[in-house]
Amino acid sequence: MELLKKTSKTLSRIMIPLLISSCATTAQYNPTTFKYELNDELLEQANIKTVIIPHVNLGPPSRKYLENVSPRIDAHVASYLKDNGFKVLPQRLFKKHYSNGIRAFGNPIDRTTGRVNKKTFSRIMHSVRNQLRKESNLDAFIFTDLIEREISFSGGMKHLARWDGVTRKPSLQGPGSGVTGAFDWAMLASAASLQITVYNMELQPLFLNQGGLDATDAIDTRSSAGRFVRRKNILENENHISEGVELAFHPLIIMDNWPGNP
């Protein structure tokens, strides 16, 4: 049973089946758990020990209200990685070389449309990789995209929403303390998830997973008809963030009581 100890969380092909099976026996299954993508052969070759968290998304930019909290989420991610034995290089190193790349190749993001010029982004990333390879012992890039989901809360007694492995209750915002019986629980609300993507130093994808964080809309108690509005305080529940981070990194870092299907 030594393989099941928390000190042995780092992924290997031998340990994956044992660990997932063990965790799944005590977890409450959630059918929305994201189906991760994993290249275990390249991951084993990479032997990841030192990582850096880019300040930019791998995909299109997050919504503005999510961009504002991304540094806080990145701090959670960095702390989680350090707690599990990884060395995390300062993000400022990536920022410096990424800015140099923009000056050399142009900005890959069209701020009007939010579209990413993949060719320009690739050129910048190769430039950043080359510089960081000279300056450090970096093994991998870990992108932390905050993405938006549309969810609905169930019409049952508990009014729960499930997405990307998490289960959340709705929040109220306003002077009232309840919801009218006529409230339409089928209305869609916005929620946030964390997408983790890991690339090696050859800029090959090693790992992709997503974990739900929290709803970013709340029920407006000032509305007699009932509606959702943007929450004033976005992603402030520490427990919810921790759960989402753990989900997004599994099985790169094994999550206790992972809710996925073994």
Side-chain angles (χ1 to χ4, degrees):
M1 297 295 291
E2 284 296 305
L3 286 176
L4 302 182
K5 287 186 176 181
K6 206 160 187 173
T7 54
S8 299
K9 280 188 170 184
T10 304
L11 183 67
S12 73
R13 282 184 288 179
I14 295 175
M15 292 169 61
I16 289 174
L18 295 175
L19 288 168
I20 292 179
S21 176
S22 173
C23 292
T25 57
T26 56
Q28 184 173 357
Y29 174 61
N30 186 328
T32 70
T33 304
F34 192 82
K35 295 180 180 179
Y36 60 82
E37 299 175 13
L38 174 72
N39 189 323
D40 58 341
E41 184 176 352
L42 285 179
L43 189 61
E44 187 174 352
Q45 293 173 6
N47 189 25
I48 298 173
K49 296 178 180 178
T50 303
V51 302
I52 198 165
I53 302 171
H55 67 292
V56 295
N57 282 3
L58 178 63
S62 302
R63 295 288 297 274
K64 186 63 178 180
Y65 73 92
L66 291 176
E67 277 191 358
N68 293 337
V69 299
S70 62
R72 184 153 46 83
I73 303 302
D74 283 352
H76 274 268
V77 169
S79 178
Y80 186 62
L81 288 166
K82 291 174 183 177
D83 288 345
N84 285 279
F86 294 92
K87 179 180 178 181
V88 182
L89 297 181
Q91 195 175 70
R92 57 179 170 76
L93 298 178
F94 183 92
K95 288 182 177 179
K96 177 180 70 174
H97 296 307
Y98 192 85
S99 295
N100 291 338
I102 288 179
R103 284 193 286 271
F105 305 108
N107 194 330
I109 307 297
D110 185 328
R111 285 294 175 179
T112 302
T113 64
R115 293 178 180 174
V116 181
N117 185 317
K118 294 182 180 180
K119 186 175 182 179
T120 301
F121 184 74
S122 177
R123 286 177 173 175
I124 293 174
M125 282 302 303
H126 277 83
S127 175
V128 172
R129 185 274 312 274
N130 292 342
Q131 292 302 314
L132 289 175
R133 184 175 265 169
K134 295 176 183 177
E135 299 175 358
S136 69
N137 58 347
L138 182 66
D139 300 313
F141 297 89
I142 297 183
F143 288 89
T144 56
D145 292 22
L146 290 178
I147 58 179
E148 189 176 51
R149 291 270 188 257
E150 283 193 330
I151 61 169
S152 61
F153 293 93
S154 66
M157 292 294 293
K158 294 184 178 180
H159 302 302
L160 301 176
R162 291 182 173 88
W163 77 97
D164 289 340
V166 299
T167 302
R168 301 285 185 254
K169 295 180 180 179
S171 297
L172 304 180
Q173 188 163 290
S177 59
V179 181
T180 67
F183 186 81
D184 181 8
W185 290 102
M187 277 193 299
L188 295 178
S190 294
S193 290
L194 172 65
Q195 176 176 284
I196 294 294
T197 316
V198 181
Y199 277 76
N200 63 13
M201 293 303 285
E202 302 306 317
L203 300 180
Q204 298 168 306
L206 306 180
F207 175 73
L208 169 69
N209 202 359
Q210 295 177 6
L213 294 172
D214 206 354
T216 52
D217 283 349
I219 297 172
D220 183 8
T221 59
R222 298 169 298 181
S223 171
S224 58
R227 62 174 182 172
F228 284 106
V229 293
R230 181 77 65 235
R231 291 173 68 168
K232 293 180 180 178
N233 301 315
I234 301 292
L235 302 182
E236 289 197 340
N237 188 306
E238 300 287 324
N239 292 330
H240 288 175
I241 293 173
S242 294
E243 182 183 13
V245 170
E246 290 182 22
L247 280 164
F249 272 101
H250 182 89
L252 184 65
I253 301 172
I254 298 297
M255 177 184 183
D256 293 337
N257 297 322
W258 180 65
N261 190 338

